[in-house]
Amino acid sequence: MGPMSNEPQYGKVGWLDLTVDDAVALRDFYTDVVGWTSEAAPVGDYEDFVMNDEAGNPAAGICHARGNNSGLPPQWLSYVTVRSLEASMNAAKRHGGEVIHGPRDMGSYGILCVLRDPEGAHLALMEPQAKD
Protein backbone atom coordinates (compact mmCIF):
# COMPACT_ATOMS: atom_id res chain seq x y z
CA MET A 1 0.00 0.00 0.00
CA GLY A 2 1.41 3.37 -0.96
CA PRO A 3 1.04 6.93 0.16
CA MET A 4 -2.21 8.80 0.12
CA SER A 5 -2.68 12.57 -0.18
CA ASN A 6 -2.05 14.73 2.89
CA GLU A 7 -5.69 15.82 3.22
CA PRO A 8 -8.24 13.02 2.93
CA GLN A 9 -10.75 13.38 0.11
CA TYR A 10 -13.58 11.20 1.37
CA GLY A 11 -15.45 9.18 -1.21
CA LYS A 12 -12.64 9.42 -3.78
CA VAL A 13 -10.04 6.92 -4.90
CA GLY A 14 -6.94 7.66 -2.85
CA TRP A 15 -4.70 4.81 -4.02
CA LEU A 16 -4.44 2.01 -6.56
CA ASP A 17 -2.46 -1.20 -6.30
CA LEU A 18 -2.03 -4.67 -7.69
CA THR A 19 -1.11 -7.76 -5.64
CA VAL A 20 0.35 -10.72 -7.55
CA ASP A 21 2.68 -13.70 -7.17
CA ASP A 22 5.52 -12.11 -9.18
CA ALA A 23 5.57 -8.39 -8.37
CA VAL A 24 9.07 -8.00 -9.87
CA ALA A 25 7.93 -9.14 -13.31
CA LEU A 26 4.87 -6.88 -13.24
CA ARG A 27 6.94 -3.97 -11.96
CA ASP A 28 9.09 -4.36 -15.10
CA PHE A 29 6.01 -4.86 -17.31
CA TYR A 30 4.38 -1.62 -16.15
CA THR A 31 7.68 0.27 -16.25
CA ASP A 32 7.89 -0.52 -19.97
CA VAL A 33 4.18 -0.31 -20.81
CA VAL A 34 3.16 2.79 -18.82
CA GLY A 35 6.48 4.54 -18.26
CA TRP A 36 6.38 4.36 -14.48
CA THR A 37 9.55 4.22 -12.42
CA SER A 38 9.69 2.09 -9.30
CA GLU A 39 10.72 2.71 -5.74
CA ALA A 40 11.30 -0.20 -3.35
CA ALA A 41 8.94 -0.47 -0.39
CA PRO A 42 10.55 -2.94 2.06
CA VAL A 43 8.20 -5.52 3.60
CA GLY A 44 10.08 -7.84 5.95
CA ASP A 45 12.48 -9.93 3.87
CA TYR A 46 11.23 -8.76 0.45
CA GLU A 47 10.20 -5.58 -1.34
CA ASP A 48 6.95 -4.37 -2.83
CA PHE A 49 7.02 -1.38 -5.16
CA VAL A 50 5.64 2.14 -5.32
CA MET A 51 5.27 3.04 -8.97
CA ASN A 52 5.93 6.70 -9.75
CA ASP A 53 4.67 8.84 -12.62
CA GLU A 54 6.97 10.82 -14.93
CA ALA A 55 7.22 13.63 -12.36
CA GLY A 56 8.29 11.16 -9.65
CA ASN A 57 4.97 11.25 -7.79
CA PRO A 58 3.49 8.01 -6.42
CA ALA A 59 0.91 6.67 -8.86
CA ALA A 60 0.26 3.07 -7.78
CA GLY A 61 1.65 0.07 -5.93
CA ILE A 62 2.64 -3.37 -7.11
CA CYS A 63 2.80 -5.89 -4.27
CA HIS A 64 3.69 -9.52 -3.71
CA ALA A 65 0.84 -11.82 -2.65
CA ARG A 66 2.65 -12.72 0.58
CA GLY A 67 2.23 -12.09 4.29
CA ASN A 68 -0.61 -9.64 4.96
CA ASN A 69 -1.34 -9.50 1.22
CA SER A 70 -1.95 -13.24 0.88
CA GLY A 71 -5.36 -13.97 -0.54
CA LEU A 72 -5.93 -10.60 -2.20
CA PRO A 73 -7.39 -10.88 -5.70
CA PRO A 74 -4.83 -10.44 -8.53
CA GLN A 75 -6.47 -7.33 -9.97
CA TRP A 76 -5.98 -3.60 -9.80
CA LEU A 77 -7.64 -2.56 -6.54
CA SER A 78 -8.93 0.96 -6.02
CA TYR A 79 -8.79 2.25 -2.44
CA VAL A 80 -11.65 4.63 -1.66
CA THR A 81 -11.14 6.92 1.34
CA VAL A 82 -13.95 6.67 3.91
CA ARG A 83 -14.62 8.43 7.21
CA SER A 84 -15.44 5.25 9.15
CA LEU A 85 -14.20 1.86 8.00
CA GLU A 86 -16.40 0.13 10.56
CA ALA A 87 -19.55 1.91 9.35
CA SER A 88 -18.69 1.17 5.71
CA MET A 89 -18.02 -2.52 6.41
CA ASN A 90 -21.31 -2.83 8.30
CA ALA A 91 -23.21 -1.12 5.46
CA ALA A 92 -21.59 -3.44 2.90
CA LYS A 93 -22.68 -6.49 4.87
CA ARG A 94 -26.24 -5.14 5.23
CA HIS A 95 -26.43 -4.73 1.46
CA GLY A 96 -25.18 -8.22 0.57
CA GLY A 97 -21.46 -7.51 0.35
CA GLU A 98 -18.66 -9.34 2.12
CA VAL A 99 -15.43 -8.21 3.77
CA ILE A 100 -12.81 -10.54 2.29
CA HIS A 101 -9.70 -8.95 3.85
CA GLY A 102 -9.22 -6.90 6.99
CA PRO A 103 -9.74 -4.68 8.72
CA ARG A 104 -5.97 -4.26 8.70
CA ASP A 105 -3.89 -1.60 10.42
CA MET A 106 -1.57 0.15 7.96
CA GLY A 107 0.20 2.31 10.56
CA SER A 108 0.48 5.95 9.54
CA TYR A 109 -1.77 5.38 6.50
CA GLY A 110 -4.76 4.22 8.55
CA ILE A 111 -6.85 1.05 8.39
CA LEU A 112 -8.08 -0.80 5.32
CA CYS A 113 -10.31 -3.62 4.18
CA VAL A 114 -11.20 -5.24 0.88
CA LEU A 115 -14.85 -5.84 0.03
CA ARG A 116 -16.59 -8.02 -2.51
CA ASP A 117 -19.87 -6.44 -3.58
CA PRO A 118 -23.05 -8.45 -4.31
CA GLU A 119 -22.04 -8.76 -8.00
CA GLY A 120 -18.55 -10.07 -7.16
CA ALA A 121 -16.50 -6.91 -7.81
CA HIS A 122 -13.73 -6.00 -5.34
CA LEU A 123 -13.05 -2.60 -3.80
CA ALA A 124 -10.67 -1.58 -1.04
CA LEU A 125 -11.62 1.01 1.58
CA MET A 126 -9.19 3.10 3.61
CA GLU A 127 -9.91 5.12 6.74
CA PRO A 128 -7.00 7.56 7.18
CA GLN A 129 -5.20 7.68 10.49
CA ALA A 130 -6.59 10.45 12.69
CA LYS A 131 -4.36 13.52 12.79
CA ASP A 132 -3.08 14.58 16.18
Side-chain angles (χ1 to χ4, degrees):
M1 176 71 197
M4 295 179 66
S5 67
N6 290 337
E7 293 300 319
Q9 294 184 313
Y10 297 105
K12 293 186 80 173
V13 173
W15 189 246
L16 180 70
D17 70 23
L18 176 61
T19 301
V20 294
D21 289 333
D22 190 351
V24 174
L26 279 190
R27 172 201 65 191
D28 296 343
F29 175 87
Y30 284 105
T31 295
D32 288 344
V33 171
V34 178
W36 286 332
T37 58
S38 68
E39 184 177 325
V43 183
D45 61 348
Y46 62 94
E47 295 175 333
D48 287 340
F49 305 98
V50 174
M51 305 304 290
N52 297 311
D53 65 17
E54 290 182 4
N57 300 310
I62 297 180
C63 306
H64 291 280
R66 301 180 192 163
N68 287 334
N69 287 337
S70 293
L72 289 179
Q75 67 183 49
W76 283 104
L77 270 175
S78 298
Y79 289 73
V80 174
T81 305
V82 297
R83 291 188 183 277
S84 169
L85 191 67
E86 182 177 2
S88 293
M89 289 187 307
N90 289 336
K93 292 173 190 174
R94 280 194 313 273
H95 293 283
E98 178 184 2
V99 177
I100 66 160
H101 183 85
R104 184 168 119 208
D105 186 346
M106 294 298 293
S108 64
Y109 296 115
I111 53 175
L112 70 81
C113 75
V114 178
L115 304 176
R116 181 172 33 243
D117 71 21
E119 292 294 323
H122 295 91
L123 181 68
L125 303 179
M126 171 66 77
E127 177 185 327
Q129 181 184 53
K131 300 217 179 199
D132 294 335

